[in-house]
Amino acid sequence: MHTQIPAARAGRSVKVASVAGLALLAGLLSGGGSAADESPGPVSLAAACGTEDSDAAAVAATVALSVDVPDTGEVDRPVQPGPVSFALTLSRADLAGLLPQGAEAVVSRAALKVKVDQNGESAVASWELNAPSTSLPADGDVTLVHTGEVPYVTFGSAGDVDFSVGEFTVELRSATAAPEESAPALATVTCRLKEGENGHVATTHVTAAGGSEPSGSPETPAVPAGGGAGARDKGITVEPAAADEEDPDFCPVEPPTGDVDASEAPQPPPGAPVKVTELPGVFMCANAVGLANVQKLNGAMIINDLDAPALISVMSSKRIANRKASEAGGLYTRIDSLANLKLPDAESTFLTFGFQPVTAKVTFENGPMTISIGSINPGTGKVDFSRVYFRQSLRLHDVKVNGTPLDVGNNCRTATPFKVVLDGGDSYKNVAIGGLLEGEVDIPPFTGCGTGGEDLNPLFTASLSGPGNRVFMNQASTCIPTNPTRSYCPPPPAELPGTKPAT
């Protein structure tokens, strides 16, 4: 059973939306394209940096910027750049002139203005990246290595696309101060590329839907000089936030709680150690609906309320696991996100033993979800994966047999929680875009069923328990309420698996 992946928001334009933390790892696929097997080498750039409130001359800095951008993409399908590593190096003496006396360690945030050019049109994407605490030595050079948020881009026309970086700012804060948003920065440094640096970062080629090439040369500008009727049809726009209204509560669910558990994700091949980085994550939400097949009853029940679905709550990019392709064992990259989904009760009718109609409500008790996305390249080829893992219990209540209530008590449930492992295959690219996930679960025996000394456990165990029960979940694109562009907010609906043919 397959379903169509929810398409990106329609529109013949480039749309830039912040997708927090989804570009920290090498080898992630984007919609409509695939990344190279190994990360390209960093782009080295020379810049001059200074503070606005200083009369001192700008100081020299070097930049090493690495980013994977898919070789190809499709019109109206998101292209996800990533991973991003932005290393800024300054001399300790120059940095001392920018910071208050006595600073011993800093944390920093870099804001890059990345220009996206296609067919004579352009848009600016903001890449906000963060560096952990960095100690300041007595002398020598200081390198601040930033990773973090990066936009995805959706193109409304075919043609070659160029990504380039120009001006960027770096905000320096004390690493020993309390982590408060209102705490003042020690310094805000503005950097501009030196003359002769073009800032080119990466190139991708966008084709028409289905991978076909457009008629004519892709270098031909899509918008005639001076504009004209329909000139914006294929232009590049950045969706701005409305400045005159308060942010609505697009995600009316609590941030997820629990611990990340990536034990069911593909593990790295033997080799060099994998670097694991814990992150605070970025809050987002999405719609997700699905079907759960019960093998013994040859039936299925709908997961989530189609009219008023519960939202899945996600804290994106809580943990990063990474090993370089050049290290022993080959490339291993993984992003772990934490999620919670509190589902409403499902009500279904089955023909027990092939003839007896039984209606029951099912309560899904889900544990914390871990969404793992990444790539493996042990040297023999690249394998990309998306895996969702959580534990679940089922509780039955409001049972009726041929219309007659059957008192099963208040604690008729699976004897133990069971594993739910869902695989995204080629459909689920990342947590921001979503897609179809499917897997197979083994329902444990039931316990606690029956009242007044009547033991109904064997009835439900014989009717429901056992292996081979297929689960299909379809997640739509996530809404990021803190994203100023508000793309995919409020969260768009998700298609019920199987309601549309595969494309």
Side-chain angles (χ1 to χ4, degrees):
M1 181 182 297
H2 296 281
T3 189
Q4 185 178 24
I5 300 174
R9 181 182 298 179
R12 302 187 62 78
S13 61
V14 172
K15 299 171 184 175
V16 181
S18 175
V19 179
L22 293 178
L24 293 175
L25 301 183
L28 285 181
L29 295 181
S30 73
S34 60
D37 284 349
E38 295 189 11
S39 301
V43 175
S44 297
L45 302 169
C49 303
T51 59
E52 294 182 359
D53 57 354
S54 173
D55 295 330
V59 300
T62 57
V63 170
L65 179 60
S66 296
V67 54
D68 278 347
V69 173
D71 295 331
T72 60
E74 279 188 19
V75 167
D76 290 336
R77 295 292 301 277
V79 172
Q80 177 68 68
V84 172
S85 174
F86 175 77
L88 176 67
T89 301
L90 303 97
S91 74
R92 178 65 178 95
D94 288 339
L95 190 58
L98 302 173
L99 295 172
Q101 188 174 1
E104 298 179 351
V106 295
V107 294
S108 60
R109 176 189 300 170
L112 286 67
K113 294 181 179 179
V114 178
K115 188 178 181 183
V116 185
D117 284 302
Q118 185 197 40
N119 297 334
E121 293 289 309
S122 64
V124 175
S126 296
W127 290 10
E128 295 185 1
L129 312 168
N130 293 281
S133 175
T134 302
S135 298
L136 303 179
D139 52 24
D141 290 337
V142 178
T143 299
L144 306 173
V145 181
H146 303 78
T147 55
E149 300 181 4
V150 69
Y152 65 81
V153 187
T154 304
F155 298 92
S157 57
D160 287 337
V161 180
D162 177 81
F163 293 82
S164 60
V165 65
E167 178 181 306
F168 59 90
T169 60
V170 178
E171 186 180 74
L172 302 168
R173 294 180 182 270
S174 172
T176 58
E180 300 175 359
E181 287 293 331
S182 58
L186 298 177
T188 299
V189 181
T190 300
C191 302
R192 296 176 177 85
L193 299 185
K194 289 189 174 180
E195 186 176 354
E197 299 278 16
N198 64 14
H200 173 76
V201 173
T203 302
T204 191
H205 180 66
V206 175
T207 64
S212 60
E213 293 289 343
S215 58
S217 170
E219 286 77 23
T220 302
V223 181
R232 301 304 302 169
D233 286 352
K234 296 184 179 181
I236 300 177
T237 59
V238 177
E239 297 180 3
D244 57 351
E245 64 177 272
E246 295 182 0
D247 287 345
D249 188 2
F250 287 132
C251 290
V253 287
E254 294 295 323
T257 57
D259 297 322
V260 171
D261 180 359
S263 59
E264 294 296 326
Q267 299 302 303
V274 173
K275 180 181 179 181
V276 177
T277 304
E278 303 290 343
L279 298 169
V282 175
F283 176 57
M284 54 182 66
C285 65
N287 277 300
V289 297
L291 294 170
N293 289 347
V294 181
Q295 175 73 11
K296 286 184 176 179
L297 299 179
N298 194 28
M301 51 187 161
I302 294 175
I303 302 173
N304 218 337
D305 186 335
L306 298 182
D307 296 323
L311 293 175
I312 182 172
S313 168
V314 181
M315 195 63 76
S316 172
S317 304
K318 286 283 291 179
R319 178 184 294 163
I320 306 299
N322 190 22
R323 181 171 66 198
K324 296 179 181 179
S326 58
E327 295 180 318
L331 173 70
Y332 180 80
T333 59
R334 194 185 75 237
I335 296 174
D336 298 328
S337 299
L338 181 67
N340 287 165
L341 179 56
K342 297 180 180 179
L343 290 165
D345 292 349
E347 183 171 357
S348 293
T349 300
F350 300 99
L351 292 178
T352 309
F353 307 118
F355 66 90
Q356 187 73 52
V358 175
T359 300
K361 288 186 178 180
V362 181
T363 296
F364 302 93
E365 299 174 352
N366 296 336
M369 295 182 177
T370 297
I371 304 173
S372 298
I373 304 165
S375 298
I376 303 176
N377 180 8
T380 57
K382 179 179 176 181
V383 178
D384 293 279
F385 61 85
S386 52
R387 192 73 51 84
V388 174
Y389 166 63
F390 59 101
R391 299 188 75 86
Q392 182 181 76
S393 294
L394 303 179
R395 184 173 68 86
L396 303 179
H397 54 98
D398 295 327
V399 179
K400 294 180 180 179
V401 179
N402 202 21
T404 302
L406 177 64
D407 190 356
V408 299
N410 297 322
N411 198 33
C412 180
R413 62 173 60 246
T414 49
T416 59
F418 54 92
K419 286 184 178 181
V420 180
V421 182
L422 304 179
D423 197 317
D426 294 331
S427 298
Y428 195 96
K429 303 303 182 186
N430 57 48
V431 71
I433 300 173
L436 179 68
L437 295 152
E438 54 184 283
E440 191 171 288
V441 300
D442 190 339
I443 300 177
F446 280 77
T447 186
C449 303
T451 59
E454 185 177 19
D455 184 5
L456 299 177
N457 295 325
L459 172 64
F460 292 109
T461 297
S463 302
L464 302 173
S465 302
N469 305 285
R470 300 291 295 169
V471 177
F472 304 87
M473 287 293 293
N474 198 31
Q475 181 214 306
S477 303
T478 55
C479 159
I480 308 173
T482 57
N483 175 13
T485 67
R486 295 183 188 165
S487 292
Y488 304 110
C489 288
E495 297 284 350
L496 186 66
T499 56
K500 287 188 177 181
T503 57

